[in-house]
Amino acid sequence: KNEVEQSPQNLTAQEGEFITINCSYSVGISALHWLQQHPGGGIVSLFMLSSGKKKHGRLIATINIQEKHSSLHITASHPRDSAVYICAVSTLSNTGNQFYFGTGTSLTVIP
Amino acid sequence: DSGVTQTPKHLITATGQRVTLRCSPRSGDLSVYWYQQSLDQGLQFLIHYYNGEERAKGNILERFSAQQFPDLHSELNLSSLELGDSALYFCASSVDGPPTGEQYFGPGTRLTVT
């Protein structure tokens, strides 16, 4: 069973396009994370949110707790946005805070 | 640069062997998390330490163990290695524990078991 589902798995966009990546989860969460992983392998945390909406530059993340759904939007996409975007949730269990990851969305932005 | 360091960057070893991966968190961060990323399983949470104490265990095998030392660096020990243990191992650190601690990831250690 997958606690976190992402869609789409792969996404190709033209430079300048508006991009949306979706994440649905099935567990009660304490926080949701959006991560970016570049081809070299390094992981960067983009957002951590538990409600509402956050914005950093051209990136926007939203979460709807009732619907157990989050979206990551990229406005005016650029080739340097090409990466794998991973949704993760942290949830409190009887063995402490657990983290579950989606399988990632591979984004390619074409100039 | 996240400020989190991991050594070694690459490690090639044989089945049955034991290895130690090291992680130094960002200055001031008390939490260290370990993750495994393999091609077939994706990212998986292994274990979380906060200020020297184990706080949560995820999908960590019994052959694996970890600890966080008084200077807050952490080590992940992998023993009786199997081919399936080949993966990228990341550590991350945060100022405090979840859910409030935003995590900063190290560059990872790529382990290849032959």
Side-chain angles (χ1 to χ4, degrees), chain A residues 27-71:
Chain A
V27 294
I29 67 168
S30 46
L32 183 140
H33 305 254
W34 281 103
L35 310 174
Q36 180 191 55
Q37 185 169 29
H38 278 282
I43 296 176
V44 174
S45 176
L46 298 175
F47 294 101
M48 184 183 72
L49 64 167
S50 54
S51 65
K53 177 178 171 177
K54 285 190 175 180
K55 183 175 189 285
H56 290 156
R58 296 179 294 105
L59 303 179
I60 303 166
T62 64
I63 188 169
N64 184 319
I65 297 294
Q66 287 71 33
E67 294 187 5
K68 294 188 174 178
H69 181 269
S70 175
S71 293

Side-chain angles (χ1 to χ4, degrees), chain B residues 18-88:
Chain B
R18 173 189 167 94
V19 297
T20 297
L21 312 184
R22 182 187 169 103
C23 170
S24 293
R26 291 187 323 155
S27 176
D29 284 1
L30 298 178
S31 270
V32 170
Y33 308 81
W34 284 99
Y35 300 97
Q36 179 195 58
Q37 185 177 39
S38 61
L39 281 175
D40 55 344
Q41 302 268 29
L43 266 167
Q44 291 193 93
F45 166 62
L46 296 179
I47 199 163
H48 168 220
Y49 278 85
Y50 176 80
N51 203 21
E53 289 187 12
E54 180 187 304
R55 283 295 182 90
K57 262 187 177 177
N59 292 329
I60 188 165
L61 300 171
E62 285 193 12
R63 301 184 284 108
F64 296 1
S65 65
Q67 58 184 112
Q68 187 179 27
F69 295 87
D71 67 352
L72 301 176
H73 91 272
S74 178
E75 292 180 358
L76 179 67
N77 299 296
L78 316 176
S79 62
S80 302
L81 284 167
E82 301 175 1
L83 295 177
D85 299 326
S86 295
L88 259 174

